[in-house]
Amino acid sequence: MDLPPEAPIEDLLRTLAPQVLGVLARTHGQFDACEDAVQEALLEASLRWPTALPDNPRAWLMTVANRRLVDMWRSESARRVREERASAIDFPAGPVPEADDTLTLMFLCCHPALSAPSQLALTLRAVGGLTTAEIASAFLVPEATMGQRISRAKQGIQKAGATFTLPPASERNARLGVVLHVLYLIFNEGYAASSGPSLQREELTTEAIRVTRLLVAVAPHELEAVGLLALMLLTDSRRAARTLPDGTPVPLAEQDRSLWNQEQLKEGIALLSSVLGRGAAGPYQLQAAIAAVHAEAAADEQTDWPQILALYTVLDAVAPSPVVTLNRAVAVAMVHGPVTGLELLIGLDEALGRTHRLDAVRGHLLEMAGSYAEARAAYLSAAKKTASLPERKYLMGKVARMDEQ
Protein backbone atom coordinates (compact mmCIF):
# COMPACT_ATOMS: atom_id res chain seq x y z
CA MET A 1 0.00 0.00 0.00
CA ASP A 2 1.60 3.24 -1.14
CA LEU A 3 1.53 6.19 1.22
CA PRO A 4 -0.76 9.00 0.02
CA PRO A 5 0.97 12.40 -0.08
CA GLU A 6 -1.66 13.96 2.16
CA ALA A 7 -0.84 11.53 5.02
CA PRO A 8 2.80 12.02 6.09
CA ILE A 9 4.35 9.10 7.97
CA GLU A 10 5.05 11.16 11.09
CA ASP A 11 1.44 12.35 11.27
CA LEU A 12 0.13 8.80 11.01
CA LEU A 13 2.55 7.52 13.64
CA ARG A 14 1.65 10.38 15.99
CA THR A 15 -2.04 9.53 15.67
CA LEU A 16 -1.58 5.79 16.15
CA ALA A 17 0.97 5.89 18.98
CA PRO A 18 -1.43 6.65 21.88
CA GLN A 19 -3.96 4.14 20.52
CA VAL A 20 -1.38 1.35 20.45
CA LEU A 21 0.10 2.32 23.82
CA GLY A 22 -3.38 2.39 25.34
CA VAL A 23 -4.22 -1.14 24.19
CA LEU A 24 -0.86 -2.52 25.34
CA ALA A 25 -1.02 -0.80 28.73
CA ARG A 26 -4.59 -1.95 29.33
CA THR A 27 -3.67 -5.50 28.33
CA HIS A 28 -0.35 -5.87 30.16
CA GLY A 29 -0.52 -3.24 32.89
CA GLN A 30 3.18 -2.36 32.60
CA PHE A 31 3.27 1.22 31.36
CA ASP A 32 7.05 1.66 31.38
CA ALA A 33 7.74 -1.47 29.33
CA CYS A 34 4.79 -0.82 27.01
CA GLU A 35 5.93 2.73 26.27
CA ASP A 36 9.43 1.52 25.45
CA ALA A 37 8.03 -1.18 23.18
CA VAL A 38 5.81 1.31 21.34
CA GLN A 39 8.74 3.67 20.81
CA GLU A 40 10.76 0.84 19.26
CA ALA A 41 7.83 -0.10 17.02
CA LEU A 42 7.48 3.53 15.92
CA LEU A 43 11.17 3.65 15.08
CA GLU A 44 10.91 0.52 12.95
CA ALA A 45 7.81 1.88 11.24
CA SER A 46 9.57 5.15 10.42
CA LEU A 47 12.25 3.13 8.61
CA ARG A 48 9.94 0.74 6.75
CA TRP A 49 6.75 2.63 5.98
CA PRO A 50 8.14 5.34 3.66
CA THR A 51 8.49 2.72 0.92
CA ALA A 52 5.34 0.71 1.62
CA LEU A 53 2.60 1.25 4.16
CA PRO A 54 0.99 -1.90 5.64
CA ASP A 55 -2.67 -2.53 4.89
CA ASN A 56 -3.50 -2.10 8.59
CA PRO A 57 -0.90 0.24 10.17
CA ARG A 58 -2.49 0.08 13.64
CA ALA A 59 -2.43 -3.72 13.76
CA TRP A 60 1.12 -3.72 12.41
CA LEU A 61 2.31 -1.42 15.21
CA MET A 62 0.53 -3.50 17.85
CA THR A 63 2.08 -6.71 16.56
CA VAL A 64 5.59 -5.28 16.45
CA ALA A 65 5.26 -3.59 19.84
CA ASN A 66 3.94 -6.81 21.37
CA ARG A 67 6.90 -8.72 19.98
CA ARG A 68 9.24 -6.15 21.51
CA LEU A 69 7.56 -6.73 24.86
CA VAL A 70 8.10 -10.47 24.53
CA ASP A 71 11.75 -9.88 23.65
CA MET A 72 12.17 -7.64 26.69
CA TRP A 73 10.64 -10.20 29.01
CA ARG A 74 12.73 -12.99 27.53
CA SER A 75 15.91 -11.00 28.05
CA GLU A 76 14.87 -10.36 31.65
CA SER A 77 14.12 -14.04 32.24
CA ALA A 78 10.45 -13.35 32.85
CA ARG A 79 8.10 -16.10 33.77
CA ARG A 80 7.31 -18.42 30.87
CA VAL A 81 3.59 -18.24 31.40
CA ARG A 82 3.54 -14.47 31.04
CA GLU A 83 5.56 -14.69 27.85
CA GLU A 84 3.19 -17.26 26.36
CA ARG A 85 0.18 -15.17 27.36
CA ALA A 86 1.60 -12.13 25.60
CA SER A 87 2.53 -14.09 22.49
CA ALA A 88 -0.98 -15.49 22.14
CA ILE A 89 -2.82 -12.18 22.31
CA ASP A 90 -4.79 -11.37 19.16
CA PHE A 91 -5.03 -7.59 19.06
CA PRO A 92 -8.12 -6.08 17.41
CA ALA A 93 -7.56 -4.06 14.26
CA GLY A 94 -10.45 -1.67 14.87
CA PRO A 95 -11.42 0.60 17.76
CA VAL A 96 -11.57 -0.91 21.24
CA PRO A 97 -15.22 -1.01 22.31
CA GLU A 98 -14.79 -0.92 26.10
CA ALA A 99 -13.59 2.67 26.38
CA ASP A 100 -11.48 5.24 24.65
CA ASP A 101 -7.92 4.30 25.51
CA THR A 102 -6.56 7.78 24.83
CA LEU A 103 -8.59 9.39 27.62
CA THR A 104 -7.75 6.57 30.03
CA LEU A 105 -4.09 6.91 29.07
CA MET A 106 -4.20 10.62 29.87
CA PHE A 107 -5.53 10.03 33.37
CA LEU A 108 -2.92 7.31 33.91
CA CYS A 109 -0.12 9.70 32.95
CA CYS A 110 -1.59 12.26 35.37
CA HIS A 111 -1.29 9.87 38.33
CA PRO A 112 -1.02 11.70 41.68
CA ALA A 113 2.21 9.82 42.48
CA LEU A 114 3.92 12.07 39.91
CA SER A 115 4.76 15.74 40.25
CA ALA A 116 2.77 18.15 38.09
CA PRO A 117 5.69 18.81 35.69
CA SER A 118 6.24 15.06 35.31
CA GLN A 119 2.54 14.49 34.65
CA LEU A 120 2.58 17.11 31.92
CA ALA A 121 5.76 15.85 30.31
CA LEU A 122 4.73 12.19 30.31
CA THR A 123 1.28 12.89 28.90
CA LEU A 124 2.64 15.10 26.14
CA ARG A 125 5.01 12.28 25.20
CA ALA A 126 2.60 9.33 25.47
CA VAL A 127 -0.65 10.93 24.34
CA GLY A 128 0.38 14.01 22.39
CA GLY A 129 3.15 12.20 20.57
CA LEU A 130 5.48 15.16 21.02
CA THR A 131 9.20 14.50 20.89
CA THR A 132 11.38 15.08 23.93
CA ALA A 133 12.87 18.11 22.18
CA GLU A 134 9.42 19.62 21.53
CA ILE A 135 8.37 19.10 25.15
CA ALA A 136 11.65 20.59 26.41
CA SER A 137 11.03 23.64 24.22
CA ALA A 138 7.53 24.06 25.66
CA PHE A 139 8.92 23.98 29.22
CA LEU A 140 12.03 26.04 28.38
CA VAL A 141 14.44 23.40 29.73
CA PRO A 142 17.32 21.46 28.10
CA GLU A 143 16.35 18.33 26.17
CA ALA A 144 18.48 16.10 28.42
CA THR A 145 16.69 17.40 31.50
CA MET A 146 13.31 16.66 29.96
CA GLY A 147 14.45 13.17 28.92
CA GLN A 148 15.36 12.38 32.52
CA ARG A 149 12.05 13.77 33.75
CA ILE A 150 10.07 11.56 31.37
CA SER A 151 12.11 8.50 32.32
CA ARG A 152 11.53 9.09 36.03
CA ALA A 153 7.82 9.63 35.39
CA LYS A 154 7.49 6.26 33.65
CA GLN A 155 9.25 4.58 36.55
CA GLY A 156 6.96 6.40 38.98
CA ILE A 157 3.87 5.03 37.22
CA GLN A 158 5.31 1.53 37.50
CA LYS A 159 6.18 1.87 41.20
CA ALA A 160 2.74 3.26 42.01
CA GLY A 161 1.16 0.10 40.64
CA ALA A 162 -1.30 2.15 38.59
CA THR A 163 -3.81 0.18 36.54
CA PHE A 164 -5.09 1.07 33.09
CA THR A 165 -8.60 2.14 34.08
CA LEU A 166 -10.36 5.46 34.45
CA PRO A 167 -9.97 6.59 38.08
CA PRO A 168 -13.06 7.04 40.29
CA ALA A 169 -14.80 10.40 40.05
CA SER A 170 -13.20 11.80 43.22
CA GLU A 171 -9.68 11.02 42.06
CA ARG A 172 -10.51 11.96 38.48
CA ASN A 173 -11.38 15.49 39.59
CA ALA A 174 -8.01 15.84 41.29
CA ARG A 175 -6.25 15.03 38.01
CA LEU A 176 -8.52 17.06 35.77
CA GLY A 177 -6.50 20.27 35.91
CA VAL A 178 -3.39 18.56 34.57
CA VAL A 179 -5.38 16.75 31.87
CA LEU A 180 -6.86 20.05 30.71
CA HIS A 181 -3.46 21.72 30.66
CA VAL A 182 -1.97 18.89 28.62
CA LEU A 183 -4.78 19.06 26.07
CA TYR A 184 -4.27 22.83 25.89
CA LEU A 185 -0.54 22.37 25.20
CA ILE A 186 -1.14 19.68 22.57
CA PHE A 187 -3.63 21.95 20.81
CA ASN A 188 -1.24 24.90 20.95
CA GLU A 189 1.58 22.87 19.42
CA GLY A 190 -0.77 21.91 16.62
CA TYR A 191 -2.08 25.43 16.11
CA ALA A 192 1.37 27.05 16.06
CA ALA A 193 4.05 24.39 15.59
CA SER A 194 7.24 25.20 17.47
CA SER A 195 9.40 23.82 14.66
CA GLY A 196 9.28 22.34 11.19
CA PRO A 197 8.12 23.33 7.71
CA SER A 198 4.43 23.94 8.54
CA LEU A 199 2.80 26.59 10.66
CA GLN A 200 0.03 24.21 11.75
CA ARG A 201 -0.11 20.51 12.60
CA GLU A 202 -3.70 19.57 11.97
CA GLU A 203 -3.34 16.06 13.40
CA LEU A 204 -2.54 17.52 16.82
CA THR A 205 -5.36 20.08 16.90
CA THR A 206 -7.82 17.46 15.65
CA GLU A 207 -6.75 14.94 18.30
CA ALA A 208 -6.83 17.54 21.07
CA ILE A 209 -10.39 18.52 20.12
CA ARG A 210 -11.44 14.86 19.88
CA VAL A 211 -10.10 13.95 23.33
CA THR A 212 -11.49 17.12 24.89
CA ARG A 213 -14.92 16.15 23.55
CA LEU A 214 -14.51 12.78 25.27
CA LEU A 215 -13.53 14.53 28.48
CA VAL A 216 -16.61 16.77 28.34
CA ALA A 217 -18.74 13.66 27.80
CA VAL A 218 -17.19 12.02 30.89
CA ALA A 219 -17.36 15.19 33.01
CA PRO A 220 -20.11 17.41 31.51
CA HIS A 221 -20.39 19.53 34.65
CA GLU A 222 -16.73 20.59 34.57
CA LEU A 223 -17.09 24.15 33.31
CA GLU A 224 -13.43 24.58 32.45
CA ALA A 225 -13.47 21.44 30.28
CA VAL A 226 -16.37 22.92 28.32
CA GLY A 227 -14.55 26.25 28.21
CA LEU A 228 -11.43 24.57 26.82
CA LEU A 229 -13.42 22.85 24.10
CA ALA A 230 -15.02 26.17 23.18
CA LEU A 231 -11.59 27.82 23.06
CA MET A 232 -10.23 25.11 20.77
CA LEU A 233 -13.17 25.29 18.37
CA LEU A 234 -13.15 29.09 18.18
CA THR A 235 -9.40 29.16 17.62
CA ASP A 236 -9.27 26.28 15.16
CA SER A 237 -12.08 27.88 13.13
CA ARG A 238 -9.46 30.27 11.67
CA ARG A 239 -7.25 27.49 10.32
CA ALA A 240 -8.03 27.94 6.60
CA ALA A 241 -7.32 31.67 6.75
CA ARG A 242 -4.06 31.52 8.70
CA THR A 243 -1.69 30.80 5.81
CA LEU A 244 -1.21 31.75 2.18
CA PRO A 245 -1.01 28.96 -0.43
CA ASP A 246 2.79 28.91 0.00
CA GLY A 247 2.45 28.42 3.78
CA THR A 248 3.31 32.00 4.78
CA PRO A 249 1.47 33.00 7.99
CA VAL A 250 -1.34 35.56 7.77
CA PRO A 251 -1.82 37.72 10.90
CA LEU A 252 -5.27 37.78 12.45
CA ALA A 253 -5.83 41.39 11.36
CA GLU A 254 -5.24 40.47 7.71
CA GLN A 255 -7.17 37.20 7.53
CA ASP A 256 -10.08 36.65 5.15
CA ARG A 257 -12.79 36.04 7.73
CA SER A 258 -15.09 34.49 5.15
CA LEU A 259 -12.76 31.48 5.33
CA TRP A 260 -13.37 30.95 9.03
CA ASN A 261 -15.28 27.76 9.80
CA GLN A 262 -18.77 28.93 10.71
CA GLU A 263 -19.87 25.60 12.19
CA GLN A 264 -16.97 25.62 14.62
CA LEU A 265 -17.66 29.25 15.49
CA LYS A 266 -21.33 28.56 16.22
CA GLU A 267 -20.54 25.50 18.32
CA GLY A 268 -17.77 27.27 20.22
CA ILE A 269 -19.94 30.28 21.07
CA ALA A 270 -22.83 28.01 22.10
CA LEU A 271 -20.57 26.01 24.41
CA LEU A 272 -19.16 29.18 25.94
CA SER A 273 -22.65 30.61 26.45
CA SER A 274 -23.66 27.41 28.25
CA VAL A 275 -21.02 27.84 30.98
CA LEU A 276 -20.50 31.58 31.43
CA GLY A 277 -22.38 32.88 34.43
CA ARG A 278 -22.60 29.48 36.12
CA GLY A 279 -19.68 30.26 38.40
CA ALA A 280 -16.39 32.12 38.51
CA ALA A 281 -14.90 31.93 35.03
CA GLY A 282 -11.62 30.04 34.83
CA PRO A 283 -8.70 30.74 32.47
CA TYR A 284 -10.01 28.58 29.62
CA GLN A 285 -13.43 30.20 29.71
CA LEU A 286 -11.81 33.64 29.73
CA GLN A 287 -9.57 32.80 26.78
CA ALA A 288 -12.58 31.40 24.93
CA ALA A 289 -14.43 34.66 25.63
CA ILE A 290 -11.54 36.61 24.10
CA ALA A 291 -11.63 34.35 21.02
CA ALA A 292 -15.40 34.89 20.81
CA VAL A 293 -14.97 38.68 20.75
CA HIS A 294 -12.62 38.30 17.79
CA ALA A 295 -15.08 35.93 16.13
CA GLU A 296 -17.99 38.34 16.48
CA ALA A 297 -16.15 41.12 14.61
CA ALA A 298 -17.01 41.06 10.90
CA ALA A 299 -13.75 42.89 10.16
CA ASP A 300 -10.59 43.61 12.14
CA GLU A 301 -11.41 47.31 12.53
CA GLN A 302 -14.69 46.33 14.22
CA THR A 303 -12.92 44.37 16.97
CA ASP A 304 -14.01 45.41 20.46
CA TRP A 305 -10.50 45.90 21.86
CA PRO A 306 -11.66 47.53 25.13
CA GLN A 307 -13.67 44.36 25.84
CA ILE A 308 -10.66 42.17 24.99
CA LEU A 309 -8.46 44.28 27.27
CA ALA A 310 -10.99 43.91 30.09
CA LEU A 311 -10.99 40.14 29.65
CA TYR A 312 -7.19 39.98 29.62
CA THR A 313 -7.12 42.06 32.81
CA VAL A 314 -9.38 39.52 34.51
CA LEU A 315 -7.33 36.63 33.08
CA ASP A 316 -4.15 38.23 34.42
CA ALA A 317 -5.73 38.29 37.88
CA VAL A 318 -7.07 34.71 37.68
CA ALA A 319 -4.08 33.02 36.04
CA PRO A 320 -1.13 35.42 35.79
CA SER A 321 1.74 34.38 33.53
CA PRO A 322 4.32 36.02 31.26
CA VAL A 323 2.36 34.84 28.20
CA VAL A 324 -0.83 36.48 29.48
CA THR A 325 1.11 39.71 30.07
CA LEU A 326 2.49 39.49 26.54
CA ASN A 327 -0.98 39.15 25.05
CA ARG A 328 -2.40 41.85 27.29
CA ALA A 329 0.31 44.22 26.07
CA VAL A 330 -1.08 43.91 22.54
CA ALA A 331 -4.59 44.70 23.77
CA VAL A 332 -3.27 47.67 25.77
CA ALA A 333 -1.50 48.94 22.64
CA MET A 334 -4.72 48.71 20.63
CA VAL A 335 -6.65 50.68 23.27
CA HIS A 336 -4.09 53.08 24.76
CA GLY A 337 -1.37 53.17 22.12
CA PRO A 338 1.83 51.21 21.38
CA VAL A 339 4.05 53.08 23.84
CA THR A 340 1.86 52.01 26.74
CA GLY A 341 1.86 48.46 25.43
CA LEU A 342 5.65 48.43 25.18
CA GLU A 343 5.90 49.39 28.85
CA LEU A 344 4.23 46.09 29.78
CA LEU A 345 6.97 44.15 28.00
CA ILE A 346 9.63 45.43 30.39
CA GLY A 347 10.83 42.57 32.57
CA LEU A 348 9.54 39.73 30.37
CA ASP A 349 12.92 38.89 28.86
CA GLU A 350 13.92 36.63 31.75
CA ALA A 351 10.85 34.43 31.28
CA LEU A 352 10.34 34.69 27.51
CA GLY A 353 13.72 35.78 26.19
CA ARG A 354 14.49 32.34 24.76
CA THR A 355 11.36 32.30 22.62
CA HIS A 356 10.71 34.37 19.51
CA ARG A 357 7.27 35.61 20.53
CA LEU A 358 8.44 38.38 22.86
CA ASP A 359 10.67 39.91 20.18
CA ALA A 360 7.92 39.46 17.57
CA VAL A 361 5.39 41.35 19.72
CA ARG A 362 7.99 43.99 20.58
CA GLY A 363 8.69 44.44 16.88
CA HIS A 364 4.98 44.78 16.13
CA LEU A 365 4.44 47.46 18.78
CA LEU A 366 7.60 49.34 17.75
CA GLU A 367 6.36 49.28 14.16
CA MET A 368 3.00 50.68 15.33
CA ALA A 369 4.93 53.44 17.10
CA GLY A 370 6.89 54.28 13.95
CA SER A 371 10.24 53.15 15.40
CA TYR A 372 11.20 51.19 12.31
CA ALA A 373 14.91 50.69 13.03
CA GLU A 374 14.15 49.24 16.46
CA ALA A 375 11.29 47.20 15.04
CA ARG A 376 13.65 45.76 12.42
CA ALA A 377 16.11 44.70 15.13
CA ALA A 378 13.33 43.04 17.14
CA TYR A 379 11.93 41.18 14.11
CA LEU A 380 15.42 39.98 13.16
CA SER A 381 16.04 38.74 16.70
CA ALA A 382 12.71 36.88 16.64
CA ALA A 383 13.53 35.29 13.28
CA LYS A 384 16.80 33.95 14.65
CA LYS A 385 15.09 32.37 17.65
CA THR A 386 12.20 30.54 16.01
CA ALA A 387 12.54 26.96 14.74
CA SER A 388 9.37 27.31 12.66
CA LEU A 389 10.28 27.85 9.02
CA PRO A 390 7.03 29.68 8.12
CA GLU A 391 7.40 31.97 11.13
CA ARG A 392 11.00 32.71 10.18
CA LYS A 393 9.97 33.50 6.60
CA TYR A 394 7.24 35.84 7.81
CA LEU A 395 9.54 37.63 10.25
CA MET A 396 12.27 38.08 7.66
CA GLY A 397 9.62 39.58 5.40
CA LYS A 398 8.88 42.09 8.16
CA VAL A 399 12.60 42.86 8.38
CA ALA A 400 12.67 43.58 4.64
CA ARG A 401 9.66 45.86 4.92
CA MET A 402 11.30 47.80 7.72
CA ASP A 403 14.27 48.39 5.40
CA GLU A 404 11.86 50.10 3.00
CA GLN A 405 10.59 52.56 5.59
Side-chain angles (χ1 to χ4, degrees):
M1 177 179 173
D2 293 331
L3 182 66
E6 65 273 14
I9 288 291
E10 63 180 36
D11 292 356
L12 181 59
L13 292 176
R14 194 181 303 277
T15 300
L16 293 175
Q19 300 176 22
V20 174
L21 178 55
V23 173
L24 290 178
R26 178 165 45 79
T27 303
H28 301 295
Q30 298 190 23
F31 180 85
D32 192 12
C34 290
E35 209 273 342
D36 288 341
V38 170
Q39 290 301 318
E40 290 192 24
L42 294 174
L43 176 60
E44 185 170 341
S46 68
L47 297 175
R48 294 192 179 192
W49 289 7
T51 54
L53 193 67
D55 291 335
N56 192 324
R58 184 173 182 270
W60 188 97
L61 281 174
M62 286 184 178
T63 299
V64 173
N66 190 57
R67 288 173 182 167
R68 294 295 178 272
L69 277 175
V70 173
D71 291 342
M72 291 177 195
W73 291 335
R74 281 175 177 163
S75 64
E76 296 169 1
S77 300
R79 291 181 301 168
R80 184 69 182 178
V81 64
R82 185 176 65 181
E83 177 186 317
E84 292 173 351
R85 174 174 173 264
S87 300
I89 291 175
D90 182 17
F91 289 106
V96 179
E98 292 88 344
D100 185 276
D101 286 326
T102 303
L103 186 57
T104 305
L105 184 59
M106 289 196 71
F107 277 100
L108 176 65
C109 292
C110 295
H111 195 278
L114 306 181
S115 66
S118 294
Q119 292 173 334
L120 288 169
L122 184 59
T123 313
L124 288 170
R125 168 69 178 270
V127 180
L130 302 187
T131 65
T132 303
E134 289 168 340
I135 301 171
S137 175
F139 283 87
L140 305 178
V141 300
E143 183 176 351
T145 300
M146 185 54 64
Q148 294 172 357
R149 184 179 298 175
I150 292 172
S151 178
R152 288 195 298 269
K154 290 194 293 184
Q155 294 170 9
I157 289 287
Q158 191 72 17
K159 291 179 181 178
T163 59
F164 194 79
T165 57
L166 278 174
S170 58
E171 191 173 330
R172 191 184 308 162
N173 292 337
R175 303 188 202 181
L176 184 64
V178 179
V179 171
L180 291 174
H181 190 35
V182 168
L183 288 167
Y184 178 74
L185 291 176
I186 293 173
F187 179 86
N188 283 348
E189 178 61 26
Y191 186 72
S194 59
S195 62
S198 300
L199 178 68
Q200 305 172 105
R201 293 165 63 174
E202 184 178 344
E203 80 283 358
L204 288 183
T205 54
T206 300
E207 181 66 4
I209 291 172
R210 185 188 74 83
V211 178
T212 305
R213 287 190 188 280
L214 290 172
L215 185 58
V216 170
V218 171
H221 302 299
E222 292 294 340
L223 304 186
E224 274 292 82
V226 178
L228 178 58
L229 180 57
L231 172 61
M232 290 178 176
L233 291 169
L234 291 167
T235 306
D236 191 55
S237 68
R238 310 171 195 156
R239 186 198 313 160
R242 293 186 64 230
T243 58
L244 297 175
D246 65 356
T248 302
V250 179
L252 178 61
E254 301 173 18
Q255 288 176 15
D256 180 355
R257 301 189 176 209
S258 68
L259 297 177
W260 289 3
N261 187 309
Q262 296 302 311
E263 291 302 316
Q264 286 184 308
L265 287 176
K266 291 177 182 176
E267 183 182 2
I269 291 174
L271 285 168
L272 180 61
S273 300
S274 73
V275 294
L276 285 181
R278 291 172 55 186
Y284 300 121
Q285 295 173 67
L286 290 169
Q287 290 178 73
I290 292 169
V293 175
H294 282 295
E296 291 167 349
D300 179 66
E301 57 270 17
Q302 298 177 21
T303 303
D304 188 348
W305 282 106
Q307 177 68 8
I308 289 177
L309 176 56
L311 288 167
Y312 269 122
T313 301
V314 176
L315 179 60
D316 196 30
V318 171
S321 76
V323 174
V324 172
T325 301
L326 183 66
N327 291 327
R328 188 162 70 91
V330 175
V332 167
M334 298 303 294
V335 176
H336 300 298
V339 174
T340 307
L342 284 165
E343 291 175 355
L344 286 182
L345 303 184
I346 299 173
L348 292 183
D349 288 272
E350 182 177 355
L352 300 176
R354 293 178 57 185
T355 74
H356 74 285
R357 302 204 179 280
L358 175 58
D359 284 329
V361 169
R362 183 178 284 127
H364 174 61
L365 299 189
L366 287 167
E367 183 181 358
M368 286 178 60
S371 302
Y372 300 122
E374 294 176 77
R376 181 191 188 280
Y379 285 136
L380 184 59
S381 176
K384 291 178 179 178
K385 291 177 181 178
T386 183
S388 167
L389 298 183
E391 289 275 12
R392 185 178 302 159
K393 180 180 179 181
Y394 171 78
L395 290 164
M396 290 307 298
K398 298 289 286 185
V399 170
R401 282 191 285 277
M402 294 303 97
D403 289 336
E404 298 171 358
Q405 298 295 328

